[in-house]
Structures are given as C-alpha cells and as structure tokens.
Amino acid sequence: VQLQASGGGLVQAGDSLRLSCAASGRTFSSYAMGWFRQAPGKEREFVAAIRRSAGNTKYADSVKGRITISEDDARNMVYLQMNSLKPEDTAVYYCAADFSLGAVVSGNVHYWGQGTQVTVSS
C-alpha cells in the first residue's frame, strides 16, 4: 500500500489543522491506520491509530481531547483533525499502515508515508 500525507502548514497556537493521508494499493479496509510525528531532535512518536471496522481508536495521552483520527473507506483516506494546537505539536507528521492495530500503535509497521510538516507558532 502506498501512503501520501498532506495538509501540513504554519499555524498559530490555538488554531486547528486537518491532515489527510491518501492510501492506494491493496484493500484499504484490511489495514489499521495511524499517525506519528517527529519533532526536531526527538524520536518519532505515536499520535493516533484507527481500525474503523472494529470501531477501535487509540491516542497518545499528549493529544487526547485535542486530536481526532478518522477514516473514509470509500475514499481510502485517513484524517487527523488537530484542534487547540500548541507549539509543542510542531513536528513532521507521518501516516502509517499495518494489518495489526497493535503494530501501528507500537510503530512497528510495514508501510509509511512521507511526512508533512506542521509548525505551530506561539
């Protein structure tokens, strides 16, 4: 499966932003999908994951209540709605896919997309 992330940009603290990830290739609904981010000088970290067929979503504690992951199976898209953005949300955001939701949460995934830069100014 190929993944293409988009939607990043420069915003101010408190703003909202929606990232999109377009998936192509094998049957989209077979995969669990997720988002990760990597800030300058830091390790890549898990943000959110979803397996909609199971009605299951997972979030990092640092983003709970501010960020929502969703997917549109008809369009093979995964979205990351980010509200009340903070400067510490500044990072390159990556989408990822794997057959296992657990693998996505752990970051041990088969498929990665390229990143999209999100910069939050204070």
Side-chain angles (χ1 to χ4, degrees):
V1 63
Q2 293 79 44
L3 305 173
Q4 180 78 30
S6 62
L10 172 62
V11 298
Q12 293 187 329
D15 284 353
S16 297
L17 199 62
R18 189 177 80 158
L19 305 183
S20 300
C21 177
S24 60
R26 293 190 175 183
T27 306
F28 180 68
S29 59
S30 299
Y31 293 90
M33 305 293 296
W35 288 93
F36 291 75
R37 65 186 182 186
Q38 187 167 19
K42 294 188 176 181
E43 297 284 324
R44 184 156 53 187
E45 65 174 359
F46 168 75
V47 177
I50 186 169
R51 182 186 283 282
R52 200 173 83 156
S53 60
N56 205 343
T57 56
K58 301 288 186 184
Y59 294 95
D61 288 341
S62 59
V63 304
K64 281 181 181 177
R66 298 190 299 118
I67 288 180
T68 303
I69 188 170
S70 61
E71 58 180 23
D72 184 338
D73 289 345
R75 295 173 184 251
N76 284 7
M77 298 289 294
V78 178
Y79 303 103
L80 192 70
Q81 177 67 44
M82 303 188 292
N83 301 323
S84 302
L85 282 162
K86 305 175 181 180
E88 50 264 44
D89 294 318
T90 295
V92 178
Y93 284 72
Y94 299 88
C95 58
D98 198 272
F99 293 109
S100 162
L101 182 63
V104 173
V105 173
S106 70
N108 188 24
V109 300
H110 281 90
Y111 305 105
W112 290 97
Q114 95 297 348
T116 186
Q117 176 72 48
V118 173
T119 303
V120 185
S121 63
S122 57

